[in-house]
């Protein structure tokens, strides 16, 4: 109250909340422990039925994006759903879409409490690149301050893995620019060891395709260090559902184990979940010509 008097700030009685343990503000809860999502927003996602058309998919993704700062690798999770929004794509609902919705709900039900950013404490960013998305986390003292993720464009998906990993660091710095710009030192953790050698060399000695990326990072005082993937629990393993994980170890270690199990299941089910985004007429033509082909017809009968 003394601070308000000193800056001549007037408070409205109808809007004032005084001596409360937490405050609801724009879909978030500000508490002494940190920043949390509003339970009403989370419940709205958990109670949403499966989409019945593309407009409902768009609404679901938009709703989840509001809480993206709490949901690591949200873009990678939503990738199958976004493909339903592609132009001229016929509506279809497959097991991979059901799995994406359930994984999104699992992330929403297990959101972490984000700590408040402190300008006086060291900052660490963790970044990771998957086949179709980028994910990153801003951390202080081992606790997450904010998450961010985005999908890779078709062109970026064709990048070499080292280029994707470098791109994930760029994405981290640009997304958290207001937290990182001007700091004396920012620790960037990566699980891609070849990047360490690239960052330790002069810019002219770096591969041509990476030079422009490294130039972008000249705005930040980065120290890139290697951290094994199994230890990068937040940025590398939280993109999978974790509710079925049990056993010893930290919560992030259990999530890492579940991530590997889920990837193995995906490989086993890839033939069942794969789908060609073609019309029924085009699919009939493919089947017709496949039956006429000597080699493909033999494959179909084996």
């Amino acid at each position: 109250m003394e601070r308000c008097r000193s800056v001549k700030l007037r408070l409205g009685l109808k809007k004032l909340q005084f001596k409360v343990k937490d405050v609801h503000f724009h879909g978030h809860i500000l508490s002494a422990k940190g920043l949390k999502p509003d339970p009403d927003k989370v419940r709205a996602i958990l109670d949403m039925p499966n989409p019945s058309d593309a407009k409902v998919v768009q609404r679901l993704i938009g709703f989840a994006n509001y809480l993206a700062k709490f949901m690591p690798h949200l873009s990678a999770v939503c990738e199958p759903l976004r493909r339903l929004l592609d132009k001229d794509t016929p509506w279809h609902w497959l097991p991979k879409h059901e799995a994406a919705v359930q994984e999104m709900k699992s992330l929403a039900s297990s959101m972490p409490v984000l700590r408040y950013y402190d300008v006086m404490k060291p900052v660490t960013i963790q970044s990771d690149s998957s086949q179709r998305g980028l994910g990153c986390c801003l951390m202080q003292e081992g606790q997450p301050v904010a998450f961010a993720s985005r999908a890779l464009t078709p062109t970026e998906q064709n990048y070499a893995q080292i280029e994707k990993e470098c791109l994930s660091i760029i994405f981290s710095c640009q997304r958290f620019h207001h937290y990182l710009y001007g700091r004396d030192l920012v620790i960037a953790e990566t699980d891609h060891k070849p990047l360490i050698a690239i960052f330790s060399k002069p810019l002219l000695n770096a591969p041509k395709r990476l030079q422009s990326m490294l130039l972008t990072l000249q705005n930040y005082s980065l120290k890139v260090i290697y951290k094994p993937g199994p230890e990068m629990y937040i940025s590398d393993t939280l993109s999978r559902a974790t509710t079925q994980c049990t056993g010893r170890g930290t919560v992030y270690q259990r999530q890492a184990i579940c991530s590997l199990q889920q990837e193995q299941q995906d490989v086993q089910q890839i033939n069942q979940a794969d789908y060609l985004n073609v019309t029924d007429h085009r699919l009939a033509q493919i089947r017709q010509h496949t039956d006429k082909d000597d080699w493909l017809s033999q494959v179909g009968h084996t």
Side-chain angles (χ1 to χ4, degrees), residues 65-238:
N65 282 336
Y66 185 80
L67 300 174
K69 68 173 68 176
F70 300 94
M71 303 171 71
H73 284 197
L74 177 63
S75 295
V77 173
C78 294
E79 174 65 19
L81 299 177
R82 280 197 302 272
R83 299 286 67 81
L84 294 173
L85 304 178
D86 290 343
K87 187 177 180 180
D88 299 328
T89 298
W91 171 255
H92 58 282
W93 190 257
L94 297 175
K96 62 180 180 181
H97 303 125
E98 174 69 24
V101 172
Q102 294 305 320
E103 192 169 349
M104 183 188 303
K105 291 183 178 181
S106 177
L107 288 175
S109 63
S110 58
M111 290 180 180
V113 177
L114 302 180
R115 66 171 294 158
Y116 297 118
Y117 179 74
D118 190 335
V119 296
M120 304 302 296
K121 294 181 179 180
V123 172
T124 300
I125 55 173
Q126 281 189 3
S127 60
D128 179 56
S129 172
S130 61
Q131 183 180 0
R132 302 188 177 216
L134 304 175
C136 60
C137 176
L138 178 70
M139 304 177 63
Q140 285 190 310
E141 296 183 337
Q143 297 180 2
V145 175
F147 295 106
S149 65
R150 77 167 177 87
L152 291 171
T153 65
T155 301
E156 292 170 343
Q157 291 180 21
N158 295 327
Y159 283 7
Q161 188 58 35
I162 190 172
E163 295 171 348
K164 290 181 181 178
E165 297 292 345
C166 189
L167 183 63
S168 68
I169 297 178
I170 293 177
F171 171 66
S172 304
C173 293
Q174 291 178 339
R175 179 57 63 92
F176 302 133
H177 174 80
H178 296 291
Y179 297 105
L180 306 180
Y181 186 72
R183 294 192 66 100
D184 294 334
L185 178 65
V186 176
I187 301 297
E189 297 179 345
T190 177
D191 60 354
H192 197 70
K193 205 167 187 177
L195 268 183
I196 307 301
I198 297 297
F199 275 89
S200 62
K201 295 178 180 179
L203 181 61
L204 292 177
N205 293 340
K208 298 296 183 181
R209 291 175 63 89
L210 290 177
Q211 286 186 7
S212 60
M213 295 185 180
L214 296 177
L215 277 173
T216 304
L217 294 174
Q218 295 299 305
N219 291 324
Y220 310 95
S221 180
L222 291 179
K223 181 181 179 182
V224 182
I225 64 174
Y226 171 72
K227 194 170 185 179
E231 297 181 12
M232 293 183 61
Y233 310 123
I234 295 181
S235 68
D236 195 35
T237 64
L238 290 184

Side-chain angles (χ1 to χ4, degrees), residues 32-53:
K33 296 181 179 179
L35 185 65
K36 300 184 293 184
D38 192 328
D40 292 337
K41 295 285 186 181
V42 176
R43 192 178 304 110
I45 295 180
L46 297 179
D47 294 342
M48 276 187 178
N50 287 339
S52 56
D53 54 49

